[in-house]
Amino acid sequence: MPLDQTETFNKLLDQLQIPTEQRSVFQGGKIEGVIVHEKSKCWEFNFYFPEILPFSDFNNLVMQLETVFTPIARVDFTIKTTQSQLDDRKLGDYWDWVVTHADLQSSFVQELCDKNVPKLDNDHRVTFFSSQ
């Protein structure tokens, strides 16, 4: 009998050697799908989490994925969540990672992103203003 999405995710956590005491943050996590691109040697994971992960746990998951799968393939992923309550702190925690992985082509945009952190406005929209 095949594993369900939650069991598959827990099996991945085992493979990534995520310690048991650090797994509570991933409670309710699922793998909704994995696409294996044979020619480009890329595995694309589609994750679901009930809430936005704390950045340190997200970063640990990503680092372990890259470490474990590097001998096999490049890893890419998407994350969906139903509780997408974002606050300035979470936005700031993720900002450096986003800028680093955004593949920005413009040095001007890169410099703006490196020197500024976006904020949430009263309508919960992300706004970005240069402080210069």
Side-chain angles (χ1 to χ4, degrees):
M1 186 164 126
L3 299 175
D4 69 21
Q5 294 174 334
T6 302
E7 292 169 329
T8 303
F9 180 69
N10 288 328
K11 178 104 172 134
L12 177 64
L13 293 178
D14 291 340
Q15 292 171 327
L16 300 179
Q17 300 177 359
I18 303 292
T20 305
E21 61 273 7
Q22 294 177 5
R23 291 189 183 193
S24 62
V25 72
F26 299 112
Q27 189 70 32
K30 300 177 186 179
I31 295 179
E32 293 185 329
V34 178
I35 301 169
V36 177
H37 303 276
E38 291 181 27
K39 287 184 180 179
S40 64
K41 295 185 178 181
C42 178
W43 288 33
E44 184 179 329
F45 291 87
N46 297 306
F47 294 113
Y48 164 83
F49 297 106
E51 298 180 5
I52 297 172
L53 295 174
F55 178 75
S56 61
D57 296 305
F58 161 81
N59 197 44
N60 186 39
L61 178 67
V62 171
M63 288 175 39
Q64 287 301 108
L65 275 170
E66 291 172 351
T67 299
V68 169
F69 282 90
T70 293
I72 302 167
R74 184 174 56 85
V75 175
D76 200 1
F77 60 90
T78 58
I79 297 176
K80 293 180 187 175
T81 181
T82 50
Q83 195 280 336
S84 56
Q85 191 84 9
L86 189 62
D87 57 33
D88 283 334
R89 178 168 179 101
K90 284 182 184 173
L91 184 59
D93 289 348
Y94 275 87
W95 186 244
D96 284 338
W97 190 92
V98 169
V99 171
T100 301
H101 292 84
D103 194 27
L104 298 173
Q105 302 297 318
S106 165
S107 59
F108 174 71
V109 172
Q110 179 75 43
E111 184 178 344
L112 281 176
C113 290
D114 285 342
K115 293 183 178 181
N116 297 281
V117 176
K119 300 283 183 200
L120 293 172
D121 68 13
N122 292 336
D123 295 323
H124 300 288
R125 293 180 299 194
V126 177
T127 58
F128 185 81
F129 295 101
S130 173
S131 60
Q132 299 176 1

